[in-house]
Amino acid sequence: MIKENVRGILESLSDNVVLVAATKTRTVEEIKEAIAGGIAVIGENYVQEAERKHDALGGIVPFHLVGHLQKNKVKKAVRIFDMIQTLDSGELAMLVNRECEKIKKVMPVLIEVNSAEEAQKSGISPDQVDIFLSSIIELPHIRIEGLMTMGPFSQDEEAIRSAFKRTKQLFDHIGARYPQLSHWQYLSMGMSDSYRIALACGANMVRIGSSLFGVRERNN
Ligand SMILES: *Cc1c(COP(=O)(O)O)cnc(C)c1O
């Protein structure tokens, strides 16, 4: 079933779109089935859970961190992940840079944008992204490759569309304004219920969980 779900979604995506399987709470067996169906990138939310799965899978696919990164987990996170999609503070950027320097790694990162401007959400407010970016652009051990956003916690398609459109505008604006960002390329937005809207708004990376694996238990 998982394999078929993956294939169905991959067939519907254009070639330039990266499908990230959002695998929080899923077992290693489920993840292996998704990989057999064609999944090439795993997205995990929690460092400890990701570490266990990363060890079990032996590095056959890259792991992206798509959940909030706590400062005390940075050291471990930079060893496991191939991209951090949720860079959302200058302090975190410094810590990631410092830990990566120690292991001689350059970490691809996306800046998380709070496109819905909901107070309880993490992410940089859209009008602060430019100044945030200029404050971290010189860090040698992070490589800024694009933006990630969750969008609003809402079923309101227009609210979702407007948050995604705004994020796409910001993505284009930054790409034009900072030509030195030579790896600027990813706009990560859209989940099971919203990825079609996100693609219509210009996303080229979508993070999908329940449409691949089935609905999760609540509270996960
Ligand atoms: C869980 C999760 C997803 C996928 O959500 P689904 O609704 O299961 O597709 C995408 N992005 C992030 C950051 C998530 O935590």
Side-chain angles (χ1 to χ4, degrees), residues 112-220:
E112 183 176 356
V113 182
N114 182 359
S115 60
E117 302 206 62
E118 289 167 348
Q120 74 278 19
K121 276 226 178 113
S122 50
I124 307 281
S125 153
D127 54 10
Q128 298 292 315
V129 168
D130 210 324
I131 192 160
F132 173 64
L133 199 144
S134 60
S135 75
I136 62 170
I137 199 165
E138 303 289 347
L139 294 173
H141 291 271
I142 63 175
R143 192 166 76 206
I144 308 163
E145 298 197 353
L147 300 178
M148 177 272 207
T149 198
M150 296 288 288
F153 279 131
S154 159
Q155 304 288 351
D156 176 357
E157 283 205 8
E158 278 320 303
I160 295 169
R161 191 182 312 275
S162 118
F164 286 171
K165 271 191 183 160
R166 189 167 183 200
T167 310
K168 163 68 167 156
Q169 281 168 2
L170 194 55
F171 176 76
D172 290 342
H173 162 80
I174 291 168
R177 182 171 169 146
Y178 296 92
Q180 66 270 48
L181 293 176
S182 54
H183 291 80
W184 189 256
Q185 59 189 313
Y186 295 120
L187 180 55
S188 172
M189 54 188 195
M191 323 203 306
S192 294
D193 291 339
S194 59
Y195 77 92
R196 291 179 186 83
I197 302 172
L199 292 170
C201 294
N204 59 15
M205 187 176 265
V206 292
R207 309 175 309 268
I208 298 184
S210 18
S211 294
L212 302 179
F213 300 102
V215 285
R216 279 181 305 277
E217 305 287 318
R218 273 183 74 89
N219 302 324
N220 280 317

